[in-house]
Each structure stands twice: as C-alpha cells, then as structure tokens.
C-alpha cells in the first residue's frame, strides 16, 4: 500500500468592519491547520494557528493563505512550535505561506519557532505582497534539531515584494544533506537557531534605517524599498527570540 502525505490549506481574510475594527469574513482550515480567532485588541483582529495533529510530516503539503484588505489590521500567531518530522510517507514535506497586505492594511505575522527534527526534510516558502502603504512585521525562526538530536534537512525561502517591487528574495538550506558550508562561519557559525525579522513601513521609503550590527549575532540592514531586515543566529530558540524582540523595539 502506498502511503501519501496530508494535503491541507488554511485561509484567512481580514476586512475593515466600518466601525473602526477588523472582521474576519474568511477563517477556515483543514487538519492539521486550524486558525482560531482570539480576543481582539482595539482595531486589530487576532488569530492563532493551532496544530490539530503532528506535522508537517514527510510527504505533506500544507498551505496558509492570508489576505489583509485596506484598512484592516491583523495579528497572526501560533499556539506552539511547529515540528517537522519524518513521517510514514517519507520524502520532502512542503509548507507554503502566502501573505497579501493591501495598501493601508497592517499585518503582524509572528508564529512560533519551526523545529527541524532528525530525519525530516522540509521546504518552507513564505511569499509576501505588500501594497504601497502597507505595514508588516514578519518573524521567522528556525531551530535545528530538538535537544540532544541532529537536525533534519530544512530549506527556507523568503520573498517579500513591497509597492510592486521585490525587496527581498533569499533561500537558506541547513541540516543533513544541505550544501556544504551551512554550519560554517559565513552562515550559522555552529549555532542551532536562525531567524529573520522583516519590517515594512511606508516611512522607510523616505528615511531608510541605518545598517548596523546588533551585538555579535545579529545585524540590521535596509532593503531596497520601504523595508528593513534583521538577521540573527543564536545557540537556542530562547536567545534567538530575545535578539529579535530587542531588534523589533528599535524599528516600531
């Protein structure tokens, strides 16, 4: 008998409700993707992605589509870390995230860490389309292996377009089977956790941030548009989060 992976999609649409708040006319998902609305804060709607089962496993194909329409404000987090596991189907798993933020809309995309467990093989893509007046805070964190184990293979591609222009398109492959050098001084330098923080704000188009080091393990650089990027490495997930949180306070 042939074992195949799970195919699942979650969809979120945020829309201004005309009363100063944000409605969610579309909020649905298929197992293991379960988006749940939580208590709102002011004009911002809040959604948590809850993992209804383990995954992604080998052979899975998971997709999350988020659209924030003009005038809406949305905060999306997750209930727990995502753990990539080998699974019975074997082979590469895919996790694709599509974020569309309209002119005059705002999105905070702040999921918990993605952990690459031993034996797993996961390809993650995150594609962002932000309008000319959009605001975005996006955080990605990857951890190579659980405590005491070797990592699986993890490939992550992040593409951000702002005001019709590609401002960031980068891919990083880490773990067993990845091209050589990923754990060397030019990439992770032996650390187990790596993360990115992308902030898009209209004012950055006229007043770009100043490139600078944020300690020994993080750097802030302006992007070619109304955006800025923080890249960081750390020994573990806790210290990585602290680095990115400290960087975010400098940018918003």
């Amino acid at each position: 008998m042939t074992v195949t992976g799970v195919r699942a999609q979650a969809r979120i649409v945020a829309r201004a409700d005309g009363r100063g708040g944000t409605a969610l006319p579309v909020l649905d998902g298929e197992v293991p993707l379960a988006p749940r609305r939580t208590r709102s804060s002011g004009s911002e709607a809040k959604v948590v992605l809850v993992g209804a089962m383990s995954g992604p496993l080998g052979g899975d194909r998971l997709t999350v589509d988020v659209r924030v329409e003009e005038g809406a404000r949305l905060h999306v987090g997750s209930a727990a870390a995502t753990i990539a596991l080998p699974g019975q189907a074997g082979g590469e798993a895919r996790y694709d995230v599509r974020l569309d933020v309209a002119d005059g809309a705002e999105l905070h995309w702040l999921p918990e860490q993605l952990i690459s467990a031993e034996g797993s093989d996961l390809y993650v893509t995150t594609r962002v389309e932000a309008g000319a007046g959009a605001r975005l805070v996006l955080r990605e964190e990857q951890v190579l292996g659980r405590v005491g184990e070797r990592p699986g293979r993890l490939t992550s591609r992040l593409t951000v377009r702002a005001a019709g222009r590609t401002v960031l398109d980068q891919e990083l492959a880490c773990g067993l089977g990845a091209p050589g050098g990923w754990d060397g001084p030019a990439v992770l330098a032996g650390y187990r956790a790596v993360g990115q923080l992308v902030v898009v704000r209209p004012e950055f188009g006229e007043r770009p941030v100043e490139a600078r080091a944020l300690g020994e393990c993080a750097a802030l650089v302006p992007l070619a548009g109304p955006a800025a990027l923080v890249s960081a490495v750390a020994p573990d997930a806790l210290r990585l989060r602290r680095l990115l949180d400290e960087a975010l306070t400098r940018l918003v």
Side-chain angles (χ1 to χ4, degrees), residues 162-224:
R165 180 181 185 182
T166 299
V167 299
L168 178 66
D169 190 354
Q170 68 176 26
E171 182 171 290
L172 177 64
C174 303
L176 300 179
W182 65 268
D183 55 351
V187 188
L188 295 191
Y191 289 110
R192 291 173 59 89
V194 58
Q196 293 77 229
L197 180 72
V198 178
V199 178
V200 176
R201 296 172 68 88
E203 53 267 35
F204 288 169
E206 298 180 0
R207 299 185 301 278
V209 301
E210 180 182 350
R212 59 185 182 273
L214 304 176
E216 295 183 359
C217 297
L220 166 65
V221 295
L223 299 177

Side-chain angles (χ1 to χ4, degrees), residues 31-45:
V31 173
L33 301 171
R36 299 288 184 263
R37 182 164 191 166
T38 61
R39 184 181 297 275
S40 300
S41 176
S43 60
E44 181 183 68

Side-chain angles (χ1 to χ4, degrees), residues 57-61 86 89-94 120-124 153 155:
L57 307 177
D60 287 357
R61 299 291 186 270
E92 181 186 74
R94 293 285 304 237
S120 65
D121 185 359
L122 177 63
Y123 191 99
V124 182
R153 177 167 177 166
T155 305

Side-chain angles (χ1 to χ4, degrees), residues 15-248:
R15 180 176 298 158
D17 64 7
R19 303 186 301 274
T22 297
L24 298 174
V26 178
L27 184 65
D28 58 41
E30 302 164 314
V31 173
L33 301 171
R36 299 288 184 263
R37 182 164 191 166
T38 61
R39 184 181 297 275
S40 300
S41 176
S43 60
E44 181 183 68
K46 293 186 176 182
V47 172
V48 172
L49 282 171
V50 179
M53 58 185 284
S54 297
L57 307 177
D60 287 357
R61 299 291 186 270
L62 308 181
T63 304
V64 177
D65 284 308
V66 178
R67 188 172 81 249
V68 188
E69 298 180 355
E70 184 176 358
R73 299 180 64 230
L74 178 65
H75 181 290
V76 181
S78 57
T82 298
I83 304 178
L85 297 166
Q88 290 183 324
E92 181 186 74
R94 293 285 304 237
Y95 197 139
D96 298 316
V97 176
R98 308 287 181 265
L99 308 176
D100 187 350
V101 190
D103 185 14
E106 182 172 349
L107 172 64
H108 286 215
W109 177 260
L110 300 171
E112 295 301 309
Q113 298 89 357
L114 172 60
I115 301 172
S116 174
E118 186 172 1
S120 65
D121 185 359
L122 177 63
Y123 191 99
V124 182
T125 65
T126 303
R127 294 193 176 100
V128 180
E129 188 73 42
R135 293 178 179 271
L136 169 76
V137 175
L138 179 149
R139 182 183 68 213
E140 285 193 344
E141 299 168 309
Q142 290 104 27
V143 180
L144 302 181
R146 294 169 293 191
V147 175
E149 75 173 7
R150 298 184 300 172
R153 177 167 177 166
L154 176 62
T155 305
S156 175
R157 183 163 187 172
L158 173 60
T159 305
V160 179
R161 287 173 50 82
R165 180 181 185 182
T166 299
V167 299
L168 178 66
D169 190 354
Q170 68 176 26
E171 182 171 290
L172 177 64
C174 303
L176 300 179
W182 65 268
D183 55 351
V187 188
L188 295 191
Y191 289 110
R192 291 173 59 89
V194 58
Q196 293 77 229
L197 180 72
V198 178
V199 178
V200 176
R201 296 172 68 88
E203 53 267 35
F204 288 169
E206 298 180 0
R207 299 185 301 278
V209 301
E210 180 182 350
R212 59 185 182 273
L214 304 176
E216 295 183 359
C217 297
L220 166 65
V221 295
L223 299 177
L229 170 69
V230 176
S231 299
V233 295
D236 55 50
L238 179 60
R239 277 176 276 192
L240 178 65
R241 176 65 59 83
R242 287 174 179 167
L243 282 172
L244 296 179
D245 282 350
E246 290 171 2
L248 184 57

